[in-house]
Amino acid sequence: MDADMAIKINPKMEVRKLQRVAHAHNLAPCGPAPKDTSPLPSSCTIRTSNGAESPQKPLHHVRLDGRTLEGGGQLVRIALGLSALTGRAVTVDHVRGNRGGKTGLKASHAAAVKLLAEISGSHVSDGNVGSKCLTFTPPQACVEEDEQSPDATRQPQDIPLVSLNTLSVKPEYNIRLTTPGSVFLIFQALYPYLLHVGLRAMTECIRVNIVGGTNGTSSPSYDYAAQVMAPNFVRLGLPSFSMTLQSRGWTSGVVGMGEVSFFIRPLPELTDGLASEKSKQSVGVGAACASRFPRIKIMDYECGKITRITITVLAPNDALQKAKENGSPFTVAEYVEQETLRRLRKSLKTLDQTILAEPLNGERHIPIDMSPTEFTSHPSRLYILLVAHTSTGFRIGHDALFGDHRGRKHTKQKVGKHQKYKKGQGPPPKKKDSEAHLQRVSDMIDECVQGFIDELSETHDDTQTYQIDGSTGSTPAKRSCLDSHMRDQIVVFEALGNLGDKVGIARSEVAQPPEAERYWTLHTKTAQWVCQKMLQDVANNSTRTRQFKERPNYL
């Protein structure tokens, strides 16, 4: 097969054969149990690039319960991305089973699955919108002994990720959703795989154009991705990538479609110099280090001092009834800008002053930059992003979208139809629509500022202690240098960066206190669980994934 030709799935490999694979590994199939239950071979032969045959134990078909932990689309996205990277088949049952309302694949998930399968040459069973059971089978999966490709579809045994030799990657891809599903959740599914295979595009970067939502509920916004996510990825050692906002897509107000173009630079080749540098970080002399992904040891990074804060506001320029001191009316944008700045300055004084580059003494203030406000066209299209820049180059962010109630506690009590009031009392008078809207905007500002302050607080987990070897005392576990939403974005890269390392712990790591697990969100725990399920045997097939060896009780 020509090296530049895309991998094609053998057309004989039908859904019934995928069910045979699941049955042979004691996995309950999605449909009726097949009659043919002949076992799979215990090993298969992989022909390496130099023509030599290398026996390799096949990676067993992984089956994941889509209701585990967070139980949403994140579980599916990570599982399929790792499936394409490692060449092992995966089935996800009960897709998005923990979601209220409609479960199963949404349009954005189906679009990501389709493109990932196209790029990797994988076979997808039940990948349509609404599907509750999805099977993703890369061409490298050992399905039948007589169906093995003679080409080098997997690296030699000590390299756990798929080979680039037979992949064909285009310099540009396009995804167009029909609803404003988050473009950044689609990007999350594609990014690790494109980092690995991007060298085959023979261009400086791969361009991915996605039409969908840029500011929606329960998902990263364009502003957070550009100002927080991208700089932190680069700070942690991943190649720089950029994005261009063509237009905004909102889920609030009149639903509109937006578009973002991503420019993804691939990981560099694993040259002798890079391999040597990573080996120095590894365990012992000459330790194998097969992964091109950078080693990320998050607790080795210091958060540093907060040097400045930036505020981004998206709001309509409509007039409010509330008047300024000079009697002229506020616009919504002006009110949000002024109140966010005022409440933020007040709340910063409650922080431990040691986390600030300059203490707030007297008239001195930490620099706060207000980005030019972008006017929106609907009263409910309101968005605020607060970002702290640290002396060590990290960004800590927190945002709020009007009408998005992620993780908020609702204290409003329901009043029964026949609610009785004391004599002479009745229900409070209803506010005018304009007053009620202004109150909701004010509440949104409070929630955003308080959430941001919570992210900045350098608190210690006093419920956990860590005993350092040779010491007589204990050290409290610490929080990482990332905000809670950014933390779950790097779990996949932590795991991939440790693939191929020999078992053991470097001395520098032993001396570091562990991360305080009470700061982990459900998304972070879900990402860790999926990585453990998908990569544990991959690591065993080469060496071991050191990350999970160090922390067996990862959740």
Short mmCIF file of all heavy atoms in Angstrom, two decimals, residues 383-419:
data_model
loop_
_atom_site.label_atom_id
_atom_site.label_comp_id
_atom_site.label_asym_id
_atom_site.label_seq_id
_atom_site.Cartn_x
_atom_site.Cartn_y
_atom_site.Cartn_z
N TYR A 383 -22.65 38.30 28.43
CA TYR A 383 -21.55 37.40 28.79
C TYR A 383 -20.45 38.21 29.46
O TYR A 383 -20.15 39.34 29.06
CB TYR A 383 -21.00 36.71 27.54
CG TYR A 383 -19.77 35.86 27.78
CD1 TYR A 383 -19.88 34.57 28.30
CD2 TYR A 383 -18.50 36.36 27.50
CE1 TYR A 383 -18.74 33.80 28.53
CE2 TYR A 383 -17.37 35.60 27.72
CZ TYR A 383 -17.50 34.32 28.25
OH TYR A 383 -16.38 33.56 28.48
N ILE A 384 -19.85 37.63 30.53
CA ILE A 384 -18.73 38.26 31.25
C ILE A 384 -17.63 37.22 31.42
O ILE A 384 -17.89 36.07 31.79
CB ILE A 384 -19.16 38.76 32.64
CG1 ILE A 384 -20.36 39.70 32.55
CG2 ILE A 384 -18.00 39.47 33.34
CD1 ILE A 384 -20.96 40.03 33.91
N LEU A 385 -16.40 37.62 31.18
CA LEU A 385 -15.23 36.77 31.42
C LEU A 385 -14.20 37.56 32.23
O LEU A 385 -13.83 38.67 31.86
CB LEU A 385 -14.60 36.32 30.10
CG LEU A 385 -13.24 35.61 30.20
CD1 LEU A 385 -13.38 34.28 30.95
CD2 LEU A 385 -12.63 35.39 28.83
N LEU A 386 -13.76 36.96 33.34
CA LEU A 386 -12.70 37.54 34.17
C LEU A 386 -11.48 36.62 34.08
O LEU A 386 -11.60 35.41 34.27
CB LEU A 386 -13.16 37.66 35.62
CG LEU A 386 -14.46 38.44 35.85
CD1 LEU A 386 -14.84 38.42 37.33
CD2 LEU A 386 -14.34 39.87 35.35
N VAL A 387 -10.32 37.20 33.81
CA VAL A 387 -9.10 36.41 33.65
C VAL A 387 -7.97 37.03 34.47
O VAL A 387 -7.68 38.23 34.34
CB VAL A 387 -8.66 36.33 32.17
CG1 VAL A 387 -7.36 35.52 32.05
CG2 VAL A 387 -9.75 35.72 31.31
N ALA A 388 -7.35 36.22 35.32
CA ALA A 388 -6.18 36.65 36.09
C ALA A 388 -4.92 36.15 35.41
O ALA A 388 -4.83 34.97 35.04
CB ALA A 388 -6.26 36.10 37.51
N HIS A 389 -3.96 37.04 35.21
CA HIS A 389 -2.66 36.69 34.64
C HIS A 389 -1.67 36.53 35.79
O HIS A 389 -1.60 37.38 36.67
CB HIS A 389 -2.19 37.79 33.69
CG HIS A 389 -3.11 38.02 32.53
ND1 HIS A 389 -2.73 37.80 31.22
CD2 HIS A 389 -4.39 38.45 32.47
CE1 HIS A 389 -3.73 38.09 30.42
NE2 HIS A 389 -4.76 38.49 31.16
N THR A 390 -0.90 35.44 35.78
CA THR A 390 0.02 35.18 36.88
C THR A 390 1.47 35.41 36.46
O THR A 390 1.79 35.42 35.26
CB THR A 390 -0.13 33.74 37.41
OG1 THR A 390 0.45 32.82 36.46
CG2 THR A 390 -1.60 33.39 37.62
N SER A 391 2.31 35.55 37.44
CA SER A 391 3.73 35.82 37.19
C SER A 391 4.44 34.62 36.58
O SER A 391 5.54 34.77 36.04
CB SER A 391 4.42 36.20 38.51
OG SER A 391 4.27 35.17 39.48
N THR A 392 3.82 33.43 36.64
CA THR A 392 4.43 32.23 36.05
C THR A 392 3.86 31.92 34.67
O THR A 392 4.16 30.87 34.11
CB THR A 392 4.25 31.02 36.97
OG1 THR A 392 2.86 30.89 37.30
CG2 THR A 392 5.06 31.18 38.25
N GLY A 393 3.03 32.81 34.14
CA GLY A 393 2.55 32.64 32.76
C GLY A 393 1.25 31.90 32.61
O GLY A 393 0.85 31.59 31.48
N PHE A 394 0.55 31.61 33.69
CA PHE A 394 -0.73 30.92 33.60
C PHE A 394 -1.88 31.91 33.59
O PHE A 394 -1.74 33.07 33.99
CB PHE A 394 -0.90 29.93 34.75
CG PHE A 394 -0.05 28.69 34.61
CD1 PHE A 394 1.16 28.58 35.29
CD2 PHE A 394 -0.45 27.65 33.79
CE1 PHE A 394 1.94 27.45 35.15
CE2 PHE A 394 0.33 26.52 33.64
CZ PHE A 394 1.53 26.42 34.32
N ARG A 395 -3.04 31.46 33.12
CA ARG A 395 -4.27 32.25 33.13
C ARG A 395 -5.32 31.51 33.95
O ARG A 395 -5.52 30.31 33.76
CB ARG A 395 -4.79 32.45 31.70
CG ARG A 395 -3.75 32.97 30.70
CD ARG A 395 -3.54 34.45 30.81
NE ARG A 395 -2.56 34.91 29.82
CZ ARG A 395 -2.86 35.32 28.60
NH1 ARG A 395 -4.13 35.31 28.20
NH2 ARG A 395 -1.92 35.73 27.78
N ILE A 396 -5.96 32.22 34.84
CA ILE A 396 -7.04 31.66 35.65
C ILE A 396 -8.31 32.41 35.29
O ILE A 396 -8.37 33.64 35.44
CB ILE A 396 -6.74 31.80 37.16
CG1 ILE A 396 -5.43 31.09 37.50
CG2 ILE A 396 -7.88 31.24 37.99
CD1 ILE A 396 -4.94 31.36 38.91
N GLY A 397 -9.31 31.71 34.79
CA GLY A 397 -10.49 32.38 34.29
C GLY A 397 -11.77 31.88 34.91
O GLY A 397 -11.87 30.76 35.42
N HIS A 398 -12.78 32.73 34.85
CA HIS A 398 -14.14 32.36 35.25
C HIS A 398 -15.10 33.23 34.45
O HIS A 398 -14.87 34.43 34.30
CB HIS A 398 -14.36 32.56 36.75
CG HIS A 398 -15.66 31.99 37.23
ND1 HIS A 398 -15.83 30.65 37.51
CD2 HIS A 398 -16.87 32.58 37.46
CE1 HIS A 398 -17.06 30.43 37.91
NE2 HIS A 398 -17.71 31.58 37.88
N ASP A 399 -16.17 32.62 33.94
CA ASP A 399 -17.09 33.38 33.12
C ASP A 399 -18.54 33.12 33.52
O ASP A 399 -18.83 32.23 34.33
CB ASP A 399 -16.89 33.07 31.63
CG ASP A 399 -17.07 31.60 31.28
OD1 ASP A 399 -17.37 30.80 32.19
OD2 ASP A 399 -16.92 31.25 30.10
N ALA A 400 -19.42 33.91 32.95
CA ALA A 400 -20.86 33.78 33.23
C ALA A 400 -21.63 34.16 31.98
O ALA A 400 -21.31 35.15 31.32
CB ALA A 400 -21.28 34.67 34.40
N LEU A 401 -22.62 33.34 31.67
CA LEU A 401 -23.50 33.58 30.54
C LEU A 401 -24.91 33.79 31.06
O LEU A 401 -25.39 33.02 31.91
CB LEU A 401 -23.46 32.39 29.57
CG LEU A 401 -24.38 32.46 28.35
CD1 LEU A 401 -23.88 33.51 27.36
CD2 LEU A 401 -24.46 31.09 27.67
N PHE A 402 -25.58 34.79 30.59
CA PHE A 402 -26.92 35.10 31.06
C PHE A 402 -27.85 33.91 30.82
O PHE A 402 -27.94 33.39 29.71
CB PHE A 402 -27.46 36.33 30.33
CG PHE A 402 -28.77 36.84 30.88
CD1 PHE A 402 -28.81 37.58 32.04
CD2 PHE A 402 -29.96 36.59 30.22
CE1 PHE A 402 -30.00 38.07 32.56
CE2 PHE A 402 -31.15 37.07 30.71
CZ PHE A 402 -31.18 37.80 31.88
N GLY A 403 -28.48 33.46 31.90
CA GLY A 403 -29.41 32.34 31.78
C GLY A 403 -28.79 30.97 31.97
O GLY A 403 -29.50 29.97 31.97
N ASP A 404 -27.46 30.90 32.12
CA ASP A 404 -26.78 29.62 32.33
C ASP A 404 -26.63 29.40 33.82
O ASP A 404 -25.96 30.16 34.51
CB ASP A 404 -25.41 29.64 31.66
CG ASP A 404 -24.72 28.29 31.71
OD1 ASP A 404 -25.36 27.32 32.15
OD2 ASP A 404 -23.55 28.20 31.31
N HIS A 405 -27.25 28.32 34.34
CA HIS A 405 -27.25 28.09 35.78
C HIS A 405 -26.42 26.87 36.15
O HIS A 405 -26.78 26.07 36.99
CB HIS A 405 -28.69 27.90 36.28
CG HIS A 405 -29.56 29.08 36.04
ND1 HIS A 405 -29.43 30.25 36.76
CD2 HIS A 405 -30.53 29.30 35.12
CE1 HIS A 405 -30.33 31.13 36.32
NE2 HIS A 405 -31.00 30.58 35.32
N ARG A 406 -25.27 26.70 35.48
CA ARG A 406 -24.40 25.56 35.77
C ARG A 406 -23.92 25.58 37.21
O ARG A 406 -23.29 26.54 37.66
CB ARG A 406 -23.17 25.58 34.86
CG ARG A 406 -23.44 25.29 33.42
CD ARG A 406 -22.17 25.46 32.61
NE ARG A 406 -21.83 26.86 32.46
CZ ARG A 406 -20.71 27.30 31.89
NH1 ARG A 406 -19.82 26.44 31.45
NH2 ARG A 406 -20.47 28.58 31.77
N GLY A 407 -24.23 24.52 37.95
CA GLY A 407 -23.67 24.35 39.28
C GLY A 407 -24.13 25.35 40.31
O GLY A 407 -23.54 25.47 41.37
N ARG A 408 -25.18 26.11 40.02
CA ARG A 408 -25.65 27.10 40.99
C ARG A 408 -26.74 26.51 41.85
O ARG A 408 -27.56 25.71 41.41
CB ARG A 408 -26.17 28.34 40.25
CG ARG A 408 -25.10 29.00 39.38
CD ARG A 408 -25.71 30.14 38.60
NE ARG A 408 -24.76 30.63 37.60
CZ ARG A 408 -25.09 31.47 36.63
NH1 ARG A 408 -26.32 31.90 36.51
NH2 ARG A 408 -24.18 31.86 35.76
N LYS A 409 -26.76 26.95 43.08
CA LYS A 409 -27.78 26.47 44.01
C LYS A 409 -29.01 27.37 43.92
O LYS A 409 -28.91 28.59 44.04
CB LYS A 409 -27.23 26.48 45.44
CG LYS A 409 -26.07 25.52 45.65
CD LYS A 409 -25.59 25.55 47.09
CE LYS A 409 -24.44 24.59 47.29
NZ LYS A 409 -23.95 24.63 48.69
N HIS A 410 -30.13 26.74 43.71
CA HIS A 410 -31.37 27.50 43.61
C HIS A 410 -32.04 27.51 44.98
O HIS A 410 -32.39 26.47 45.53
CB HIS A 410 -32.31 26.84 42.58
CG HIS A 410 -31.74 26.85 41.18
ND1 HIS A 410 -31.88 27.92 40.33
CD2 HIS A 410 -30.98 25.93 40.52
CE1 HIS A 410 -31.27 27.65 39.19
NE2 HIS A 410 -30.72 26.45 39.28
N THR A 411 -32.22 28.68 45.52
CA THR A 411 -32.79 28.81 46.86
C THR A 411 -34.25 29.25 46.83
O THR A 411 -34.90 29.30 47.85
CB THR A 411 -32.00 29.84 47.68
OG1 THR A 411 -32.00 31.09 46.98
CG2 THR A 411 -30.56 29.37 47.87
N LYS A 412 -34.74 29.56 45.63
CA LYS A 412 -36.11 30.03 45.53
C LYS A 412 -37.07 28.88 45.85
O LYS A 412 -36.98 27.80 45.28
CB LYS A 412 -36.39 30.55 44.12
CG LYS A 412 -37.78 31.12 43.95
CD LYS A 412 -37.97 31.66 42.54
CE LYS A 412 -39.38 32.20 42.36
NZ LYS A 412 -39.61 32.74 40.99
N GLN A 413 -37.98 29.11 46.77
CA GLN A 413 -38.93 28.09 47.16
C GLN A 413 -40.20 28.22 46.34
O GLN A 413 -40.66 29.31 46.01
CB GLN A 413 -39.27 28.23 48.65
CG GLN A 413 -38.08 28.00 49.57
CD GLN A 413 -38.48 28.14 51.01
OE1 GLN A 413 -39.59 28.56 51.31
NE2 GLN A 413 -37.59 27.76 51.90
N LYS A 414 -40.76 27.05 46.02
CA LYS A 414 -42.01 27.04 45.28
C LYS A 414 -43.16 27.39 46.22
O LYS A 414 -43.23 26.90 47.34
CB LYS A 414 -42.24 25.66 44.65
CG LYS A 414 -41.23 25.31 43.56
CD LYS A 414 -41.56 23.98 42.93
CE LYS A 414 -40.58 23.65 41.80
NZ LYS A 414 -40.90 22.34 41.17
N VAL A 415 -44.06 28.21 45.72
CA VAL A 415 -45.23 28.59 46.49
C VAL A 415 -46.43 27.84 45.93
O VAL A 415 -46.69 27.89 44.72
CB VAL A 415 -45.48 30.12 46.41
CG1 VAL A 415 -46.74 30.48 47.19
CG2 VAL A 415 -44.28 30.87 46.94
N GLY A 416 -47.11 27.12 46.79
CA GLY A 416 -48.24 26.32 46.33
C GLY A 416 -49.36 27.18 45.80
O GLY A 416 -49.46 28.38 46.08
N LYS A 417 -50.22 26.52 45.01
CA LYS A 417 -51.33 27.24 44.40
C LYS A 417 -52.23 27.86 45.46
O LYS A 417 -52.78 28.95 45.28
CB LYS A 417 -52.09 26.28 43.50
CG LYS A 417 -53.26 26.93 42.77
CD LYS A 417 -53.94 25.92 41.85
CE LYS A 417 -55.09 26.57 41.10
NZ LYS A 417 -55.78 25.60 40.22
N HIS A 418 -52.43 27.15 46.57
CA HIS A 418 -53.32 27.63 47.62
C HIS A 418 -52.52 28.10 48.83
O HIS A 418 -52.92 27.88 49.97
CB HIS A 418 -54.29 26.51 48.02
CG HIS A 418 -55.10 25.99 46.86
ND1 HIS A 418 -56.10 26.73 46.27
CD2 HIS A 418 -55.03 24.82 46.19
CE1 HIS A 418 -56.63 26.02 45.28
NE2 HIS A 418 -56.00 24.87 45.22
N GLN A 419 -51.36 28.71 48.57
CA GLN A 419 -50.51 29.20 49.65
C GLN A 419 -51.29 30.22 50.50
O GLN A 419 -51.91 31.15 49.98
CB GLN A 419 -49.26 29.87 49.06
CG GLN A 419 -48.39 30.54 50.09
CD GLN A 419 -47.67 29.54 50.97
OE1 GLN A 419 -47.02 28.64 50.48
NE2 GLN A 419 -47.81 29.69 52.27
#
